[in-house]
Amino acid sequence: GIQVEQSPPDLILQEGANSTLRCNFSDSVNNLQWFHQNPWGQLINLFYIPSGTKQNGRLSATTVATERYSLLYISSSQTTDSGVYFCAVVTGGGADGLTFGKGTHLIIQP
Amino acid sequence: EAGVTQFPSHSVIEKGQTVTLRCDPISGHDNLYWYRRVMGKEIKFLLHFVKESKQDESGMPNNRFLAERTGGTYSTLKVQPAELEDSGVYFCASSRDRAYEQYFGPGTRLTVT
């Protein structure tokens, strides 16, 4: 099956810093989503981005489908940005379940 | 618009007992998915319903797990009999169309003792 690798696994930053999280995948995809898992364990949708670039406030994401990677950018980090960020993909071919990466654990220190 | 809801939020049962988890998708979403995260591992896909039909159940771990979606609305996931390794968080998600954005519920934390 498809492999999804996220880097870095852990990231500690000071408030106000910028960060880039990366997601590499091993096959073509027709769905790619970024999630933020908050301290209560809930998965919050950030982006649905199988290709192209999107922005939402301080967050933006870019997926280069031909090169099989996606990037999540967080600017001017706040302590509330802390948590685990997951990338998840669907390869298609009749299977629609998301395959998740292991996540990037982000800690924003005040 | 209400999001995906799951019940119960927590369940603690003994090995060998039965537990039934419930998921209510976003209204109008024909696609419903079950996932789980056990023992700190990655979130894994279990199965996918389109309306009341099982479209893909390739992720179901064994025949102790039974999912239903009668009437194409809410879904239940029954574990019978529960084993220790079934402990984890069970998530439900729904989407309007196949291969479209999936929205997740808060999850049910299952502890088997």
Side-chain angles (χ1 to χ4, degrees), chain A residues 2 4 29-35 43 45 47-48 86-92 95-101, chain B residues 33-36 42-48 56 93-95 99-104:
Chain A
I2 191 169
V4 181
V29 299
N30 57 18
N31 177 2
L32 187 147
Q33 292 185 240
W34 282 97
F35 299 91
L43 291 168
N45 286 43
F47 294 102
Y48 166 74
F86 290 103
C87 169
V89 303
V90 174
T91 58
D96 297 322
L98 287 164
T99 298
F100 280 77
Chain B
Y33 311 80
W34 284 99
Y35 296 83
R36 74 173 183 174
E42 297 99 287
I43 300 169
K44 293 288 191 183
F45 165 76
L46 296 179
L47 86 160
H48 169 211
D56 178 2
S94 71
S95 68
Y100 202 64
E101 188 170 10
Q102 296 183 26
Y103 296 87
F104 280 71

Side-chain angles (χ1 to χ4, degrees), chain B residues 3 10-11 14 19 21 23 26-27 30 33 37 45 47 53 60 68 90 92 94 112:
Chain B
H10 294 84
S11 180
E14 294 183 351
V19 63
L21 313 180
C23 168
I26 293 172
S27 178
D30 288 338
Y33 311 80
R37 188 176 192 186
F45 165 76
L47 86 160
S53 299
M60 294 289 264
E68 296 180 321
Y90 290 76
C92 175
S94 71
V112 183

Side-chain angles (χ1 to χ4, degrees), chain A residues 7-19:
Chain A
S7 60
D10 300 282
L11 185 59
I12 302 175
L13 298 172
Q14 294 297 121
E15 201 167 20
N18 301 330
S19 58

Side-chain angles (χ1 to χ4, degrees), chain B residues 56-76:
Chain B
D56 178 2
E57 49 185 334
S58 61
M60 294 289 264
N62 52 59
N63 59 11
R64 296 186 293 104
F65 290 76
L66 175 64
E68 296 180 321
R69 194 183 181 194
T70 306
T73 54
Y74 71 91
S75 174
T76 58

